[in-house]
Each structure stands twice: as structure tokens, then as C-alpha cells.
Amino acid sequence: MIPGLEPVPLRELQALGTFRVWSVAGQLDEMPSLTPVRGTLRAEHRGNLLEVEGSVQTIVCLRCDRCLGHFNQQLSAVSKELIWLGQEPNEDHLAEAGLDLASPDGLMECLNPRGDFEPERWVFEQLSLQMSVVNRCGKHCPGMPQKPSDAFPTRGETTPDPRWQALKNLQSSMQRNGTNHD
Ligand SMILES: [Zn+2]
């Protein structure tokens, strides 16, 4: 739990009449990191919307999917997001708020206006989005751990050289032609 990032009722943010700022410094329970998560975020209640923006960073220790070695990766997120307060936003609501469903902001999250905004959860989500699906330790990855039995190339079927095959075909056709003339 990051101190100071407790959930805050949206109504409290609304009553504030201005944005609220949090400074982030601590460990996320769901994402162990080598260094504390640091950054800031701010949220402003704008009637039907909550505008959240922030930047957070940390360093996590990951395991390479290929060589299975551990490596450190910096995660850094800078984002700005609009969260719809209420039911699924429809086009009328968005137009009223001066937004367009077709814009990138069109796909937005919803929160119950009587519920809470959870700053810590927001930080966790932003950092999670920075994690890659496949973990690679980098350019100098030594590759898969070696298995001695794989060191020898397997000997396949001996396939005839196509050039010899062409010569053979020519030879046999000449022989056939020869017998016709006899
Ligand atoms: Zn690796």
C-alpha cells in the first residue's frame, strides 16, 4: 500500500471544486518493485467526468522468457485519462461534454459517481500497461539454456542432388529415343 493513496469518494473530489494532487512514493502490493514507485497524479471532478493525469515510474525485476535469467526493467508511465461518471456513456452525453465517441477518449472507463476513485489502483494500472507480454533480457541474451543432446545435427534422408536427377532424366530419354530409331 502506498501511503496517502487511499480511495477517495468522488463526491469529496466534486466538493473540492478544483483538482487534487497526490505525490506517489511507496510499494504497490500487487507489483513488487526494486525501487519505490514514484511520481505524481492529479484528478479533477468535472461533473460527468473525472480527469486523471499523472506520471509514475519504478524499476521491476523480471525473468527473461528465453534464457530464464533475471534482469531489471524501468517502467515509466505518463498518461491522461477521462473517466466517465455514471452508466455507460452514450453519444449525447459525450457531445454534451464536448467529446466524441470516435476519438481515442471514446473508449473510456466508467465509475459509479457515488463510489470512490482509487489512486493506487490507477497507478498500478498505468504501470501494468507498460509491462511487455514477452520478457526479453536484451540484445545480449545468451539464448535458451543448452542441452548437450542437441549439439549434434541430425542426419536426414540422403536426397539426390537435383542436378544429377536432371542428367539421369536426359540420359533415359536419349536411351528411349535410341531404341525407337532401331
Ligand atoms: Zn535472456
Side-chain angles (χ1 to χ4, degrees):
M1 177 83 208
I2 298 179
L5 262 62
E6 293 81 17
V8 54
L10 285 162
R11 291 198 159 172
E12 207 173 283
L13 289 176
Q14 189 172 23
L16 206 61
T18 181
F19 54 82
R20 182 170 162 183
V21 181
W22 291 263
S23 65
V24 183
Q27 295 278 345
L28 286 167
D29 294 336
E30 303 97 323
M31 187 191 284
S33 53
L34 287 178
T35 60
V37 179
R38 292 188 187 280
T40 55
L41 79 128
R42 53 175 258 178
E44 184 175 8
H45 199 293
R46 285 168 43 187
N48 285 331
L49 294 163
L50 185 73
E51 188 182 298
V52 188
E53 64 176 300
S55 77
V56 282
Q57 54 270 315
T58 190
I59 296 173
V60 289
C61 184
L62 300 173
R63 198 170 81 156
C64 178
D65 292 331
R66 206 150 156 241
C67 68
L68 309 180
H70 287 90
F71 66 102
N72 297 338
Q73 188 173 47
Q74 177 160 8
L75 298 179
S76 152
V78 179
S79 48
K80 184 171 175 174
E81 185 181 38
L82 291 167
I83 299 170
W84 186 258
L85 303 177
Q87 303 292 314
E88 281 286 312
N90 62 38
E91 279 184 62
D92 291 344
H93 284 144
L94 290 174
E96 227 172 85
L99 296 164
D100 186 355
L101 259 187
S103 78
D105 295 330
L107 292 166
M108 59 173 79
E109 278 192 76
C110 302
L111 278 179
N112 181 347
R114 293 194 183 93
D116 294 338
F117 169 62
E118 298 172 71
E120 185 169 17
R121 186 181 175 78
W122 193 84
V123 168
F124 170 69
E125 284 173 357
Q126 304 312 309
L127 289 173
S128 300
L129 288 172
Q130 305 300 315
M131 300 270 259
S132 44
V133 182
V134 179
N135 292 324
R136 285 277 184 275
C137 64
K139 272 185 201 160
H140 304 293
C141 179
M144 301 259 265
Q146 290 292 316
K147 276 185 244 158
S149 57
D150 292 344
F152 298 98
T154 49
R155 192 178 275 199
E157 293 282 325
T158 47
T159 45
D161 189 318
R163 285 168 300 182
W164 290 120
Q165 190 58 47
L167 197 66
K168 260 187 182 175
N169 292 344
L170 187 69
Q171 213 171 25
S172 60
S173 76
M174 277 167 76
Q175 275 169 2
R176 270 206 305 279
N177 289 340
T179 48
N180 283 347
H181 281 294
D182 282 340

